[in-house]
Amino acid sequence: MEHLRTSLVLLFLLCSPWSSAGTTFLTHLGTLCIEDCKPDGGEYKCKTIDKDGRSQTMYCSPQKNVDYWGRQCRADSMCGKYGEDYCWCRNNIFSWGYCGVVKDDKMLIESGTGTHITSRHRNKRAPEEIDTVDDEGNRIKTIFFAEATNDITDGEQWRNDAENLISRWKNVYLVDQARSNLIRSGNLRIDMQGIINRNNQRYYNLQIQVNVQRRRGDSTTVAQILIPRGIPERYVRRAFTESFDRRAKVSIKVRKY
């Protein structure tokens, strides 16, 4: 009976989702989970956008220093890369497992008012850094930011159409003047809305629009990105995907070091 009780407890711990309030999950490859880290056939996984802008399902950890099976990492082997291209940790002398970094969303206090600002409220005030790609060879960091906006509508019903449209993106479509229908599908199109100047740098304002007549007060935009010249195509595709999934304006900044 005691053995059965122990087995049931272990099964509950393995299959129950962990609380995710105020938590950000990263995959074992370091990309951002766009949903909670959840059990999937005994392993913990989440949906993410890979570095080529494609939607993938990858391993993640349900809480800090726990591997993708829900096993505790050893105290002397916390979740990290340790020279590899992925994060992992040791559970004991003989076994190891993939793991993902888990971050607690910080809560700020607005000075002078005592108002608590969670990450959700902070997104409305300033762009949020969602990922950084570090090209150590060329000493360049490419940083993705998301900014909450009410101008992007829910495009879930056109998801397949959007993914197909995004996959067709090539930088040869970039133009220096506003132009509609850079790429078009049955329901959606990519428009170049013009050039925006930010901090003495020019950004292309690209949007995915629904092919319908816009009514006053309604938005036909399902994704919007701001990108500087010279961004690789795979980063443009990823920015579009992040914007579509988050319903946020996504911008890319490049920093040399």
Side-chain angles (χ1 to χ4, degrees):
M1 179 63 70
E2 185 64 29
H3 176 72
L4 177 59
R5 182 181 302 169
T6 301
S7 298
L8 289 174
V9 170
L10 290 174
L11 181 62
F12 174 80
L13 289 174
L14 182 62
C15 297
S16 298
W18 299 80
S19 173
S20 61
T23 303
T24 297
F25 301 98
L26 302 182
T27 70
H28 71 296
L29 295 183
T31 57
L32 183 71
C33 292
I34 58 176
E35 63 177 11
D36 288 347
C37 183
K38 302 175 182 178
D40 181 3
E43 302 169 338
Y44 282 90
K45 299 178 182 178
C46 70
K47 289 184 179 179
T48 186
I49 306 300
D50 67 17
K51 297 186 185 301
D52 292 325
R54 296 173 298 188
S55 178
Q56 302 275 4
T57 298
M58 295 185 185
Y59 298 130
C60 59
S61 295
Q63 64 175 190
K64 291 182 179 179
N65 294 312
V66 169
D67 76 359
Y68 75 119
W69 281 102
R71 301 174 300 187
Q72 186 69 45
C73 297
R74 285 175 41 157
D76 61 351
S77 179
M78 298 300 187
C79 184
K81 289 189 175 181
Y82 301 105
E84 304 293 344
D85 293 330
Y86 50 83
C87 290
W88 63 283
C89 70
R90 291 195 178 278
N91 314 112
N92 54 53
I93 297 176
F94 304 104
S95 68
W96 65 276
Y98 295 112
C99 60
V101 174
V102 180
K103 299 180 179 179
D104 293 327
D105 293 343
K106 295 180 180 179
M107 181 173 288
L108 304 178
I109 299 179
E110 189 174 52
S111 60
T113 64
T115 301
H116 292 278
I117 305 174
T118 63
S119 59
R120 179 181 301 175
H121 294 106
R122 187 168 62 250
N123 288 345
K124 297 179 181 179
R125 296 169 177 262
E128 173 192 8
E129 182 177 330
I130 57 177
D131 196 16
T132 298
V133 180
D134 193 350
D135 182 352
E136 296 180 356
N138 294 312
R139 301 182 64 82
I140 294 175
K141 284 188 177 182
T142 303
I143 308 169
F144 293 78
F145 293 88
E147 181 179 353
T149 175
N150 294 325
D151 296 331
I152 297 179
T153 191
D154 184 4
E156 188 62 33
Q157 61 181 309
W158 301 293
R159 174 169 291 278
N160 291 338
D161 211 357
E163 290 177 351
N164 176 266
L165 197 70
I166 293 169
S167 69
R168 292 163 52 195
W169 174 262
K170 301 290 184 183
N171 281 352
V172 294
Y173 293 119
L174 280 177
V175 291
D176 291 330
Q177 294 181 340
R179 182 183 299 176
S180 184
N181 294 301
L182 299 182
I183 312 178
R184 187 182 180 94
S185 65
N187 297 302
L188 304 174
R189 68 181 188 273
I190 296 180
D191 291 349
M192 163 59 173
Q193 295 288 334
I195 300 291
I196 295 177
N197 289 307
R198 281 189 172 184
N199 300 321
N200 297 320
Q201 188 168 7
R202 289 156 55 90
Y203 288 82
Y204 295 95
N205 180 9
L206 299 172
Q207 298 182 12
I208 299 180
Q209 299 279 344
V210 183
N211 293 327
V212 295
Q213 185 68 35
R214 181 178 178 179
R215 295 180 298 181
R216 179 175 296 181
D218 290 343
S219 173
T220 58
T221 304
V222 296
Q224 179 183 8
I225 65 173
L226 302 177
I227 60 168
R229 182 181 292 275
I231 292 296
E233 293 170 352
R234 64 183 184 277
Y235 292 168
V236 179
R237 290 192 289 267
R238 179 180 177 186
F240 270 131
T241 304
E242 293 277 8
S243 176
F244 184 88
D245 288 336
R246 296 170 178 272
R247 292 181 62 184
K249 180 166 58 178
V250 171
S251 58
I252 297 178
K253 294 183 180 180
V254 177
R255 295 175 182 169
K256 296 183 179 181
Y257 62 93

